[in-house]
């Protein structure tokens, strides 16, 4: 097959003729003012290539300087989203080679746009080209001969995106100049690019964050040039909910930004994507150290290296040092935004250029920077010309590198368009072949689920990702599986079959991997959502009759109520929507059974929600169930067991101004669930009287390595006052939360206020590193924090064991369950205090009478492995406390040794948090147990 060998090597054939590095001629006159400004803003001639050293002067199409009044990358200049979008729209008005489109709106209602740039003849046939790529995307409707014919008349679409991370300031600036060049330049390689590629540019992905960032720069950062002595370079918020994790939503597709991007992908079907980032010096071209994600077609891996090697060679050949590939990230995690393309048989990649986080020119020291175990200033096989140890770095330098690399990348694709189009089609063909030739052949999702609403979300995610789901039309028996009519089947034999495998299979990160993972190593949706999915390795499943799934299938919402009797009941099965259901009926008395009970031939577990029928209208029930797939049962009478009265708590969610990301995911989760809360910061905590206004203080995870000191101390007060308030000059600030001064932390006054809150009967629920606020400060005496050296659990699904099934904190969960744990602190408590532990990691017994603590003890017939998906648990984790419940005065503290609200992905864990919220004042004081009661 001609495409395979071409894709895996870079040779002379990939270097087009007539585009030598020194060529700068063109018919347009030179804009001498812009050209001089570029030279002045570049700190060393080695950081400038011939492609970007000059700016052509077009008579009717404005350059960035014509429009903005300054060249891109000028010191001290930062362009707002509105001006960037205005410039692209102006280009589209002035040039027949540019068109702009709205992708959708952000969470706060700002437009996201994309510009298409190519010869006018290509743009006039835009829908035809998009249609051609859609046909190439599905080999079931396009034969090989038809594909060859389509490719003869098609061109690749190359989508470049900027501004996903708001502190990475250069990319949204650079793409303005790149767009101008692509529209007007008539020297090589620009004409070739315009003729053979449709270039898409989204100048700002995170439009809310960029807006806040530009205001923040002008308000607090502008003029500071000492990198070691400047105010925080980032505003406290980017998007309305997401911060840096806006690049970790590619699996769940929960945010408008991700949904808009994914929808645009399916509309345009870009062949290649490039996400422009800033972090490492001087230009990193993604290639990845491995291990690579095992479901990605080798053709894609070959394309990664083909383009990376070409770009490194091309830019280095122009005399620019510090261009490299390979040694930065792994290529394992599929949830980045750019992996939307990788996951759907196109090819996604990213750049990291060196950024200052400011528009000022800054002195930088690289002498201590290391990646993949090697100093950045050393010569390696993947970095033949390293950067200097010290340098003055400007945003114009950044622009020069990023733009030169992007032009080289477009050049390579333009000169080899057939290669990339052919690969795009072949990946779909190979996906179909793999689906019918290698197990697993399908995944079975039974209609009977512990948590139907989670199953409904799983199906929604699969369909958002373009994965087809079928409904079994009649009962079918396979060798090892029985399929019932109405069950769901996800076949591997479909164009996105590899993605279906990726999302539904268990991950096994290689234990002998040379380099540490770059991100989470597990994302198995069945486990993370708490949905039963069965892998089917029997090829005959491909012959099972199915109909395409319409609507929610068996997981519809509960609009239809059963015949009313005296009591409504919802069995507690750790459903993610059980807690939110109670909050939807705030004014209705709701009870929970303290122990299991039976009625008729059915058993109901402890924690089952109970509502007297005469206390709630059917209209209220229908409204509460209208967005939820929860089983509602009608009982003849209230069961004869003790009941908890579920008093609706007044919840405060705390945020440190140092770290807002995980608090953002908590806010998103609660907002989506309709759970009311008050968002508070250091000022409200320090004001005391917390118990007067709140019943529960929810402390989210901070960074995994966060210590209490940073929460107590907060942002360095030497920059006080550092305002985040809404003003006419800075209208984007003050949203979500406002403060006249974000410096400082809660201080000892705040710690005392939290202590008094608990003593007065309040409940603290702390997640992950948020627990350090009470465990590292002496607020509690019976538990502290430990950080064992060598322990590494980078985002894996871990077996957990319920030690206290009678505790409301564990209602709904079986004895053996699982949680999703990333890295962070563990709890240290004596064996004789294990009665404080309602849930542990693993099954190993640890208690007062444990001799060495060896051995698994469980009533389950089969004990699962410690790691159910993911891998790399180095160090001691089996038997460690996962949750701790302790008391202080009249109040309670519920502490989680992991983040159960991680990126809105581990929703199987959410019911544990909701248990703590619902039963905040029903928790008994933990008491020691007999030594053998384990």
């Amino acid at each position: 097959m001609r495409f395979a060998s071409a894709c895996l090597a870079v040779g002379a054939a990939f270097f087009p003729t007539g585009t030598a590095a020194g060529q700068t001629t063109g018919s347009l006159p030179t804009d001498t003012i812009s050209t001089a400004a570029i030279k002045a803003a570049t700190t060393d001639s080695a950081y400038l290539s011939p492609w970007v050293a000059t700016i052509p002067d077009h008579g009717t199409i404005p350059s960035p300087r014509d429009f903005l009044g300054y060249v891109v990358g000028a010191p001290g200049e930062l362009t707002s989203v509105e001006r960037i979008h205005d410039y692209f729209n102006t280009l589209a008005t002035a040039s027949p080679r540019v068109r702009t489109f709205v992708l959708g709106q952000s969470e706060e209602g700002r437009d996201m746009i994309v510009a298409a740039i190519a010869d006018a003849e290509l743009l006039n046939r835009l829908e035809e080209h998009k249609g051609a790529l859609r046909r190439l995307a599905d080999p079931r409707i396009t034969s090989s001969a038809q594909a060859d014919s389509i490719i003869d008349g098609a061109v690749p679409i190359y989508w470049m995106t900027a501004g996903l991370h708001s502190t990475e300031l250069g990319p949204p600036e650079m793409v303005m100049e790149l767009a101008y060049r692509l529209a007007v330049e008539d020297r090589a390689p620009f004409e070739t690019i315009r003729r053979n590629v449709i270039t898409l540019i989204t100048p700002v992905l995170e439009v809310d964050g960029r807006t806040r960032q530009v205001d923040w720069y002008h308000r607090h950062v502008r003029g500071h040039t000492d990198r070691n002595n400047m105010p925080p370079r980032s505003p406290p918020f980017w998007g309305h909910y997401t911060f840096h994790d806006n690049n970790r939503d590619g699996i769940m597709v929960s945010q408008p930004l991700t949904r808009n991007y994914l929808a645009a992908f399916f509309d345009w079907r870009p062949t290649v994507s490039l996400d422009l980032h800033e972090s490492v010096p001087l230009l990193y071209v993604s290639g990845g150290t491995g291990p690579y994600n095992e479901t990605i077609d080798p053709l894609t891996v070959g394309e990664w290296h083909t383009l990376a090697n070409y770009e490194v060679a091309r830019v280095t050949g122009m005399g620019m040092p510090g261009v490299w590939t390979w040694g930065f990230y792994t290529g394992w995690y599929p949830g980045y935004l750019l992996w939307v393309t990788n996951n759907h048989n196109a090819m996604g990649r990213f750049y990291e250029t060196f950024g200052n986080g400011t528009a000022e020119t800054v002195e930088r020291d690289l002498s201590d920077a290391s990646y993949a175990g090697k100093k950045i200033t050393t010569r390696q096989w993947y970095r033949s010309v390293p950067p200097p140890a010290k340098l003055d770095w400007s945003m114009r330098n950044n622009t020069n590198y990023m733009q030169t690399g992007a032009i080289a990348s477009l050049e390579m694709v333009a000169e080899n368009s057939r290669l990339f189009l052919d690969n795009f089609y072949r990946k779909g063909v190979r996906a179909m072949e793999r689906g019918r030739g290698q197990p697993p052949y399908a995944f079975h999702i039974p209609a009977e689920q512990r948590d139907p609403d989670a199953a409904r979300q799983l199906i929604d995610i699969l369909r958002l990702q373009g994965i087809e789901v079928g409904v079994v039309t009649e009962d079918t028996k396979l060798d090892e599986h029985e399929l019932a009519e109405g069950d769901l089947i996800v076949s591997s034999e479909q164009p996105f079959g590899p993605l279906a495998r990726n999302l539904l299979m268990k991950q096994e990160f290689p234990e002998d991997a040379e380099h540490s993972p770059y991100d989470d190593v597990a994302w198995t949706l069945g486990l993370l959502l708490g949905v039963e999915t069965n892998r089917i390795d029997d090829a005959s499943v491909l012959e099972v009759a199915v109909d395409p799934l319409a609507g929610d299938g068996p997981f519809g919402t509960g609009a239809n109520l059963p015949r009313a009797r005296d009591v409504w009941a919802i069995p507690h099965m750790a459903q993610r929507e059980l807690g939110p259901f109670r909050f939807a009926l705030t004014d209705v008395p709701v009870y929970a059974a303290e122990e299991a009970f039976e009625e008729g031939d059915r058993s109901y577990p402890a924690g089952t929600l109970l509502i007297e029928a005469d206390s709630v209208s059917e209209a209220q029930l229908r409204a509460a169930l209208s967005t939820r797939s929860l089983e509602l049962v009608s009982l003849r009478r209230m069961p004869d067991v003790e009941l908890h009265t579920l008093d609706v708590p007044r919840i405060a969610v705390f945020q440190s101004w140092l770290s807002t990301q995980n608090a953002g995911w908590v806010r998103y989760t609660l907002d989506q669930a309709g759970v009311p809360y008050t968002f508070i910061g250091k000022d409200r905590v320090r004001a005391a009287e917390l118990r007067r206004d709140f019943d529960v203080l929810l402390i989210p995870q901070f960074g995994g390595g966060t210590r209490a000191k940073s929460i107590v101390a907060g942002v360095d007060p030497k920059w006080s006052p550092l305002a985040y308030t809404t003003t006419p000059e800075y209208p984007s600030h003050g949203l979500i939360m406002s403060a006249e001064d974000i410096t400082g932390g809660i201080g000892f006054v705040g710690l005392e206020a939290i202590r008094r809150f608990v003593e007065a009967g309040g409940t603290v629920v702390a997640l992950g590193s948020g627990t350090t606020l009470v465990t590292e400060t002496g607020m509690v005496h019976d538990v502290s924090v430990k950080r064992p050296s060598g322990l590494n659990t980078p985002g894996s699904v871990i077996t957990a064991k319920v030690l206290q099934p009678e505790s409301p904190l564990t209602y709904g969960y079986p004895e053996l369950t699982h949680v999703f744990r990333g890295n962070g602190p563990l709890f240290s408590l004596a064996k004789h205090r294990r009665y404080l532990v309602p849930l542990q990691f693993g099954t190993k017994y640890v208690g007062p009478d444990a001799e060495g603590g060896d051995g698994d003890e469980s009533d389950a017939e089969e004990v699962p492995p410690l790691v159910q998906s993911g891998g790399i648990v180095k160090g001691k984790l089996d038997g460690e406390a996962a949750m701790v419940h302790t008391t202080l005065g009249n109040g309670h503290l519920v502490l989680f040794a992991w983040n159960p609200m991680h990126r809105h992905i581990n929703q199987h864990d959410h019911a544990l948090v909701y248990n703590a919220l619902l039963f905040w004042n029903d928790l008994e004081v933990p008491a020691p147990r007999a030594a053998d009661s384990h």
Side-chain angles (χ1 to χ4, degrees):
M1 293 183 289
R2 65 188 185 283
F3 59 90
S5 59
C7 179
L8 299 176
V10 177
F14 290 120
F15 289 84
T17 58
T19 57
Q23 182 173 338
T24 59
T25 59
S27 62
L28 292 174
T30 297
D31 177 347
T32 56
I33 298 175
S34 292
T35 300
I38 289 171
K39 182 178 180 181
T42 302
T43 63
D44 190 300
S45 60
Y47 307 145
L48 190 60
S49 77
W51 279 341
V52 300
T54 62
I55 291 283
D57 189 359
H58 194 282
T60 60
I61 300 175
S63 71
R65 184 187 62 81
D66 294 329
F67 185 83
L68 302 172
Y70 51 85
V71 295
V72 166
E77 300 290 353
L78 203 57
T79 312
S80 70
V81 173
E82 291 78 10
R83 292 291 284 165
I84 292 172
H85 285 185
D86 285 347
Y87 179 67
F88 273 88
N89 289 327
T90 299
L91 273 185
T93 300
S95 172
R97 295 168 173 171
V98 182
R99 294 185 185 179
T100 57
F101 307 86
V102 175
L103 293 176
Q105 282 70 45
S106 70
E107 183 73 41
E108 296 177 358
R110 296 179 176 90
D111 281 347
M112 296 171 59
I113 72 166
V114 64
I117 308 174
D119 277 349
E121 188 274 334
L122 290 181
L123 293 186
N124 290 336
R125 296 166 45 223
L126 199 54
E127 291 304 317
E128 178 184 333
H129 285 290
K130 289 162 66 174
L133 291 173
R134 292 192 199 106
R135 292 194 298 276
L136 290 177
D138 193 344
R140 296 171 299 184
I141 62 173
T142 306
S143 68
S144 180
Q146 290 171 326
D148 281 341
S149 177
I150 291 170
I151 291 170
D152 285 340
V155 297
I157 292 179
Y158 194 129
W159 191 4
M160 211 170 292
T161 52
L164 179 58
H165 288 156
S166 301
T167 49
E168 298 167 9
L169 306 179
E173 307 282 342
M174 183 281 286
V175 293
M176 290 190 286
E177 184 171 300
L178 176 63
Y180 176 71
R181 293 186 190 281
L182 291 175
V184 307
E185 289 261 24
D186 59 2
R187 55 183 171 140
F190 298 99
E191 287 191 323
T192 302
I193 294 169
R194 275 197 305 269
R195 186 171 59 249
N196 295 325
V197 176
I198 296 172
T199 302
L200 302 182
I201 296 176
T202 294
V204 187
L205 280 165
E206 180 55 275
V207 288
D208 297 337
R210 172 78 180 192
T211 301
R212 276 188 266 276
Q213 179 69 48
V214 172
D215 279 354
W216 185 264
Y217 169 75
H218 288 294
R219 188 174 195 173
H220 295 303
V221 181
R222 189 172 189 174
H224 292 273
T225 59
D226 183 349
R227 183 170 175 84
N228 298 318
N229 188 33
M230 65 171 61
R233 293 182 293 278
S234 171
F237 301 100
W238 294 352
H240 192 80
Y241 292 109
T242 57
F243 199 74
H244 196 271
D245 271 356
N246 61 13
N247 196 25
R248 304 296 189 275
D249 190 41
I251 294 174
M252 300 302 288
V253 198
S254 68
Q255 304 301 304
L257 185 159
T258 322
R259 288 177 178 255
N260 292 341
Y261 184 89
L262 182 61
F265 171 84
F266 285 125
D267 180 31
W268 292 85
R269 300 291 175 143
T271 323
V272 180
S273 72
L274 176 63
D275 200 15
L276 300 170
H277 286 268
E278 290 178 359
S279 63
V280 300
L282 294 177
L283 170 61
Y284 171 77
V285 179
S286 62
T289 62
Y292 293 139
N293 189 290
E294 296 168 349
T295 65
I296 294 300
D297 194 296
L299 290 178
T300 297
V301 176
E303 290 172 328
W304 288 344
H305 294 304
T306 296
L307 263 175
N309 289 333
Y310 183 88
E311 291 155 0
V312 171
R314 201 79 166 100
V315 180
T316 301
M318 295 185 187
M320 302 177 80
V323 185
W324 56 297
T325 186
W326 186 75
F328 180 57
Y329 98 126
T330 55
W332 175 263
Y333 178 67
Y336 310 115
L337 195 69
L338 68 94
W339 270 67
V340 166
T341 42
N342 287 324
N343 289 334
H344 296 92
N345 298 334
M347 192 265 280
R349 48 209 304 277
F350 68 94
Y351 282 174
E352 297 282 356
T353 44
F354 202 30
N356 290 330
T358 173
E360 311 296 335
T361 299
V362 177
E363 182 182 28
R364 303 296 296 272
D365 185 346
L366 307 182
S367 57
D368 292 329
S370 293
Y371 302 94
K374 303 293 184 181
K375 293 279 191 181
I376 192 73
T377 54
T378 62
R379 183 173 181 176
Q380 305 294 333
W381 66 264
Y382 51 89
R383 184 178 51 242
S384 59
V385 183
K390 292 186 178 181
L391 66 166
D392 289 330
W393 193 253
S394 67
M395 193 157 72
R396 183 63 213 188
N397 295 352
N398 180 308
T399 294
N400 296 337
Y401 270 81
M402 195 185 322
Q403 189 172 183
T404 301
I407 294 168
S409 190
L410 288 167
E411 175 189 57
M412 200 284 185
V413 174
E415 291 288 342
N416 298 276
S417 61
R418 187 172 189 92
L419 166 71
F420 289 96
L421 291 172
D422 194 58
N423 279 358
F424 180 56
Y425 172 71
R426 295 296 169 187
K427 289 176 205 173
V429 172
R430 289 155 64 100
M432 298 288 291
E433 292 173 346
R434 184 177 178 184
R436 60 177 171 265
Q438 299 177 23
Y441 299 102
F443 296 88
H444 168 220
I445 304 173
E448 294 294 327
Q449 291 283 341
R450 174 194 62 82
D451 188 347
D453 206 83
R456 181 165 64 109
Q457 186 182 22
L458 171 60
I459 297 304
D460 287 346
I461 292 169
L462 295 177
R463 293 196 293 191
L464 267 175
Q465 297 281 5
I467 295 169
E468 298 164 2
V469 181
V471 183
V472 177
T473 59
E474 60 182 26
D475 292 355
T476 305
K477 187 172 184 179
L478 305 177
D479 284 346
E480 298 181 0
H481 298 275
E482 292 187 2
L483 311 179
E485 180 182 354
D487 287 355
L488 304 183
I489 290 292
V490 180
S491 172
S492 294
E493 191 183 12
Q494 55 178 300
F496 302 146
L499 176 57
R501 295 175 187 234
N502 206 2
L503 297 179
L504 296 173
M505 286 173 59
K506 294 181 179 181
Q507 283 72 54
E508 296 182 8
F509 192 88
E511 292 186 4
D512 60 351
E514 182 180 359
H515 299 287
S516 296
Y518 191 75
D519 214 287
D520 294 340
V521 295
W523 48 86
T524 309
L525 285 182
L527 293 173
L528 292 176
L529 295 177
V531 179
E532 180 187 348
T533 64
N534 302 310
R535 168 181 169 144
I536 299 180
D537 290 349
D538 182 348
S540 64
V541 71
L542 299 175
E543 307 304 320
V544 172
V546 297
D547 290 333
L549 176 65
D552 293 325
F555 309 120
T557 56
N560 296 321
L561 305 182
R563 180 173 61 88
R565 292 192 281 186
D566 286 349
V567 177
W568 296 108
I570 299 180
H572 196 325
M573 305 296 291
Q575 307 97 312
R576 66 184 185 126
E577 284 295 328
L578 193 68
F581 170 81
R582 196 284 167 263
F583 284 97
L585 298 173
T586 302
D587 298 327
V588 175
V590 178
Y591 307 94
E594 291 190 18
E595 57 189 88
F597 64 92
E598 294 184 358
E599 178 170 305
D601 58 355
R602 179 163 181 178
S603 297
Y604 295 83
T608 292
L609 267 57
L610 302 162
I611 305 172
E612 293 175 320
D614 60 4
S615 69
V616 61
S617 69
E618 291 192 2
Q620 286 175 299
L621 283 175
R622 285 195 178 93
L625 292 169
S626 62
T627 59
R628 299 179 173 93
S629 298
L630 287 170
E631 180 191 17
L632 186 69
V633 183
S634 181
L635 304 180
R636 289 173 295 178
R637 60 181 178 273
M638 194 67 77
D640 187 20
V641 295
E642 293 294 323
L643 303 178
H644 300 290
T645 301
L646 295 185
D647 299 316
V648 176
R650 300 165 300 166
I651 301 170
V653 176
F654 171 71
Q655 170 210 277
S656 164
W657 288 104
L658 275 176
S659 177
T660 65
Q661 175 157 279
N662 291 296
W665 284 117
V666 169
R667 289 190 295 110
Y668 176 77
T669 298
L670 297 181
D671 285 347
Q672 290 294 302
V675 175
Y677 64 92
T678 302
F679 196 36
I680 67 172
K682 62 181 178 66
D683 296 332
R684 178 63 187 87
V685 173
R686 290 169 63 90
E689 300 295 340
L690 290 172
R691 188 66 186 93
R692 180 192 63 199
D693 299 326
F694 306 113
D695 304 306
V696 174
L697 176 61
L698 178 55
I699 304 175
Q701 158 101 340
F702 300 106
T706 298
R707 297 178 183 271
K709 173 184 175 181
S710 63
I711 308 171
V712 173
V715 178
D716 193 336
K718 76 178 181 180
W719 302 112
S720 177
L722 204 61
Y724 182 73
T725 53
T726 305
T727 69
E729 190 176 6
Y730 307 112
S732 70
H733 289 182
L735 300 180
I736 308 165
M737 183 182 285
S738 179
E740 295 290 343
D741 184 8
I742 70 168
T743 69
I746 65 170
F748 295 114
V749 171
L751 282 177
E752 176 64 11
I754 294 173
R755 185 184 68 80
R756 291 187 179 218
F757 166 78
V758 181
E759 287 185 331
T763 296
V764 164
V765 180
L767 314 181
S769 62
T771 62
T772 61
L773 195 54
V774 296
T775 57
E776 286 189 331
T777 58
M779 192 177 300
V780 293
H781 296 278
D782 41 20
V783 59
S784 58
V785 157
K786 62 181 178 181
R787 293 178 171 84
S789 61
L791 178 63
N792 188 18
T793 57
S796 294
V797 179
I798 304 295
T799 292
K801 181 181 178 182
V802 172
L803 302 181
Q804 298 175 12
E806 75 285 356
S807 170
L809 295 171
T810 60
Y811 280 168
Y813 288 88
E815 180 196 19
L816 293 184
T817 183
H818 60 270
V819 299
F820 181 85
R821 176 181 162 81
N823 279 313
L826 289 172
F827 299 131
S828 176
L829 71 167
K831 288 182 179 180
H832 68 273
R833 295 193 187 277
R834 291 286 291 188
Y835 63 87
L836 300 175
V837 181
L839 183 76
Q840 71 170 39
F841 297 117
T843 59
K844 184 177 182 179
Y845 173 62
V846 179
D849 61 341
E851 296 180 3
D854 294 329
D856 293 332
E857 296 207 5
S858 172
D859 295 333
E861 293 182 1
E862 184 177 346
V863 176
L866 178 62
V867 179
Q868 295 193 29
S869 183
I872 312 190
V873 174
K874 296 181 178 177
K876 180 180 177 292
L877 184 64
D878 199 356
E880 293 287 346
M883 291 176 66
V884 165
H885 169 213
T886 188
T887 57
L888 182 64
N890 294 319
H892 297 260
L893 301 103
V894 182
L895 312 178
F896 291 76
W898 82 99
N899 181 12
M901 289 186 163
H902 173 70
R903 298 175 178 169
H904 201 60
I905 193 168
N906 55 338
Q907 295 178 33
H908 168 266
D909 304 353
H910 284 188
L912 291 164
V913 179
Y914 286 127
N915 280 348
L917 298 178
L918 290 180
F919 298 100
W920 67 276
N921 61 345
D922 297 307
L923 302 175
E924 295 184 0
V925 176
R929 303 178 172 205
D932 59 352
S933 60
H934 55 266

